[in-house]
Amino acid sequence: DVKVTQSSRYLVKRTGEKVFLECVQDMDHENMFWYRQDPGLGLRLIYFSYDVKMKEKGDIPEGYSVSREKKERFSLILESASTNQTSMYLCASRRRQQATQYFGPGTRLTVL
Amino acid sequence: GENVEQHPSTLSVQEGDSAVIKCTYSDSASNYFPWYKQELGKRPQLIIDIRSNVGEKKDQRIAVTLNKTAKHFSLHITETQPEDSAVYFCAASWETGGGNKLTFGTGTQLKVEL
């Protein structure tokens, strides 16, 4: 079974803090994605990565950055957290030649 | 870029009835249309998908239909059961074999009542 894990299920941070969300997959998938999920807005793509060292902006990249130094790990960084970044963050991965995305359990981030 | 609209946002049905969720997409180049199910507190999981070279696909009680001309696709669940209660997301992408990104709809909260 594909396993996608995220570093925290719940996280509480203060405005202005730098926040790191980590995602790890164990199936040697080339592609990895970060989404945020908000009620009524569905899943919105923040950033994605086709392979190691590669990154592409998604639909809502403002206020976020990413890092993919190793194939199995994709990190989402909030340089200076703001209250409007309070959300559920979901990581996903997929094999390049296959369309199915596999999601992690999510991190519910609250910024106070 | 691609835009996917999904309706309804909430759907309540009696156990045993059918449920239909509809999505429209904007990019005529899109050729891959998956549906994900997210149970409460859990991660989204793929339940069925369809590619643009077919018009319908079935898997037991669920089916997906695609109308490329009208640029819409639908999820049909027959003989609904309480365990079908979840949020369902449609999505669309242009799959090139080299990896691509999905654009998701806003989700439908399905509630199956006893």
Side-chain angles (χ1 to χ4, degrees):
Chain A
D1 276 352
V2 175
K3 193 160 186 181
V4 182
T5 59
Q6 295 182 227
S7 50
S8 307
R9 290 302 303 270
Y10 300 93
L11 206 54
V12 180
K13 295 292 181 182
R14 297 256 176 221
T15 302
E17 280 193 80
K18 191 169 185 175
V19 182
F20 292 87
L21 303 182
E22 302 283 335
C23 175
V24 178
Q25 49 90 10
D26 67 355
M27 287 303 292
D28 202 37
H29 286 174
E30 293 87 359
N31 302 164
M32 296 188 75
F33 307 83
W34 274 107
Y35 296 90
R36 64 177 282 176
Q37 181 176 13
D38 300 287
L41 297 178
L43 298 166
R44 294 181 292 166
L45 184 64
I46 305 171
Y47 266 96
F48 60 108
S49 170
Y50 285 127
D51 212 326
V52 181
K53 304 283 188 182
M54 299 174 71
K55 59 184 178 183
E56 297 281 343
K57 291 181 180 179
D59 300 318
I60 52 165
E62 297 78 18
Y64 304 94
S65 62
V66 290
S67 173
R68 183 119 182 252
E69 294 298 316
K70 293 185 177 182
K71 192 172 188 180
E72 67 271 17
R73 189 181 298 270
F74 192 32
S75 302
L76 181 69
I77 303 155
L78 287 66
E79 293 290 341
S80 178
S82 63
T83 54
N84 62 12
Q85 292 179 309
T86 291
S87 186
M88 170 68 81
Y89 290 87
L90 286 163
C91 172
S93 72
R94 58 169 272 182
R95 193 169 299 283
R96 180 183 293 132
Q97 295 84 4
Q98 297 175 355
T100 304
Q101 288 192 18
Y102 296 89
F103 284 85
T107 296
R108 184 164 294 282
L109 173 67
T110 301
V111 182
L112 301 175
Chain B
E2 175 65 275
N3 181 50
V4 177
E5 294 190 358
Q6 183 173 347
H7 299 281
S9 56
T10 60
L11 180 59
S12 186
V13 299
Q14 294 293 122
E15 184 180 7
D17 287 351
S18 295
V20 180
I21 303 170
K22 298 181 179 182
C23 290
T24 60
Y25 62 99
S26 61
D27 189 348
S28 57
S30 289
N31 60 3
Y32 174 67
F33 307 93
W35 287 87
Y36 282 78
K37 175 184 180 182
Q38 186 179 29
E39 297 177 17
L40 186 64
K42 297 192 176 180
R43 67 192 77 190
Q45 290 192 304
L46 178 74
I47 55 170
I48 195 168
D49 57 11
I50 191 168
R51 296 185 183 271
S52 58
N53 56 349
V54 298
E56 184 175 1
K57 185 177 179 181
K58 282 185 178 180
D59 183 4
Q60 299 182 338
R61 295 187 297 107
I62 60 173
V64 57
T65 59
L66 171 65
N67 183 326
K68 283 199 69 179
T69 303
K71 289 191 281 189
H72 67 71
F73 56 112
S74 301
L75 178 71
H76 304 253
I77 306 174
T78 58
E79 301 172 22
T80 53
Q81 300 169 2
E83 53 264 38
D84 295 328
S85 295
V87 178
Y88 292 81
F89 294 98
C90 63
S93 73
W94 175 49
E95 289 294 317
T96 60
N100 214 330
K101 60 172 186 165
L102 288 171
T103 300
F104 283 88
T106 50
T108 296
Q109 174 77 61
L110 174 63
K111 184 177 181 182
V112 180
E113 298 177 332
L114 298 172

